[in-house]
Amino acid sequence: KTPEEDAAIQYLQARYDKIVPDEIKTFKDLPLSQKTLKGLKDNNFHTPTEIQRQAIGFALQGKDILGAAKTGSGKTLAFLIPILEHLFCKKWTRMDGVGALVISPTRELAYQIYETLRKVGGLHDFSAGLIIGGQNLKFERKRMDQINILIGTPGRLLQHMDENPLFDCSQLQILVLDEADRCLDMGFEATMNAIIENLPPERQTLLFSATQTKSVKDLARLSLSYPTYVAPHEQAD
Ligand code: ADP
Ligand code: MG
């Protein structure tokens, strides 16, 4: 890193504590890296949605988040932006291994997250990997040690955790449990618990769920520490 980049990173980190959600009108009002801001702009993302406005600041500050927001509210960027910024500020490189893990209930949703990450995060130098069923397991296995941001479905992730010697989440910074209620409805409770128990406890965790059932609360208790609850009111239009 050049001294200019170092200065930029320190500047960003110092500003996280001063974020006031009500003052965030556009993504430019958030202290984000130029690479992320340009990635957003190039893909026509200008104004954060309500969940993004409320969650991104807390997530940048390193807090665990329990987010309640319905489908279509923009949860993907609410967790991808903090992931990109965290790894950027930690000067993460390809050699540093898996820095963020996103667990998604279905292949389709995992793929959508991966695509959004490639588009918005494409200017960063992180590698993204998709671990979902129905692909060549051997192929996934070999690439595993070069992935920085891993997106996957619960069953396939646990399979790698159990069987693949190259699967290493010991440096994990951020865990995202996306659509947690749906994961649980699909019968992944034991699988998710097994994954979470094998991850380093000092990580940050962001849990998103449309509903707050008892099993979601149990999962939250297991995975989050002192979470900030973020539940934007639906906007009347
Ligand atoms: P959720 O995960 O909450 O169901 P998504 O993250 O998939 O929602 O986003 C839903 C749709 O809204 C996507 O088509 C996405 O591109 C779009 N979207 C997300 N954030 C913004 C934004 N800030 N501005 C405009 N469109 C957005
Ligand atoms: Mg989603």
Side-chain angles (χ1 to χ4, degrees):
K1 294 278 165 189
T2 64
E4 288 77 19
E5 281 173 312
D6 267 337
I9 287 164
Q10 275 165 22
Y11 171 77
L12 286 174
Q13 283 178 331
R15 289 191 63 189
Y16 291 161
D17 288 338
K18 302 186 184 99
I19 298 172
V20 179
D22 285 347
E23 290 170 6
I24 307 301
K25 303 288 181 250
T26 73
F27 283 114
K28 279 198 247 167
D29 297 326
L30 282 161
L32 303 176
S33 63
Q34 289 305 314
K35 288 178 180 180
T36 297
L37 283 174
K38 186 160 192 318
L40 288 165
K41 185 170 164 239
D42 289 351
N43 289 282
N44 270 311
F45 295 119
H46 303 288
T47 312
T49 66
E50 202 51 29
I51 185 81
Q52 289 161 9
R53 219 163 55 77
Q54 294 192 21
I56 290 172
F58 291 122
L60 291 173
Q61 289 162 14
K63 297 194 166 78
D64 278 8
I65 288 182
L66 179 54
K70 61 184 173 112
T71 303
S73 55
K75 292 187 288 291
T76 311
L77 288 175
F79 59 77
L80 285 182
I81 292 172
I83 287 175
L84 290 169
E85 295 306 285
H86 186 106
L87 298 184
F88 173 75
C89 284
K90 284 263 166 106
K91 304 177 191 182
W92 212 259
T93 70
R94 298 212 170 204
M95 312 293 290
D96 290 322
V98 178
L101 173 63
V102 179
I103 304 180
S104 171
T106 68
R107 289 179 204 178
E108 291 72 24
L109 287 168
Y111 186 73
Q112 284 171 24
I113 296 166
Y114 178 78
E115 283 288 285
T116 305
L117 175 61
R118 306 248 319 180
K119 280 195 234 153
V120 173
L123 295 170
H124 286 279
D125 207 15
F126 311 130
S127 63
L130 198 57
I131 295 297
I132 53 182
Q135 289 195 100
N136 185 324
L137 188 62
K138 277 202 190 114
F139 172 72
E140 285 183 355
R141 212 172 250 153
K142 273 193 253 156
R143 295 174 55 238
M144 194 61 87
D145 61 337
Q146 300 175 28
I147 293 172
N148 300 135
I149 302 172
L150 191 55
I151 300 156
T153 47
R156 189 61 147 210
L157 281 167
L158 187 59
Q159 192 179 359
H160 276 280
M161 227 171 202
D162 286 344
E163 299 169 9
N164 183 356
L166 290 178
F167 187 94
D168 179 8
C169 279
S170 61
Q171 300 307 309
L172 189 76
Q173 307 288 304
I174 301 186
L175 168 67
V176 176
L177 304 173
D178 190 29
E179 308 249 7
D181 47 352
R182 207 159 151 202
C183 285
L184 295 167
D185 288 347
M186 289 172 70
F188 286 130
E189 182 170 2
T191 307
M192 308 259 290
N193 291 353
I195 294 170
I196 291 164
E197 274 160 14
N198 276 298
L199 297 174
E202 60 276 17
R203 65 176 194 267
Q204 179 184 10
T205 306
L206 315 175
L207 187 157
F208 290 97
S209 179
T211 57
Q212 304 291 316
T213 58
K214 180 180 178 297
S215 51
V216 169
K217 286 180 188 146
D218 288 343
L219 181 65
R221 215 172 295 123
L222 179 82
S223 59
L224 303 170
S225 67
Y226 303 104
T228 300
Y229 184 62
V230 180
H233 294 290
E234 286 170 28
Q235 275 170 318
D237 34 23

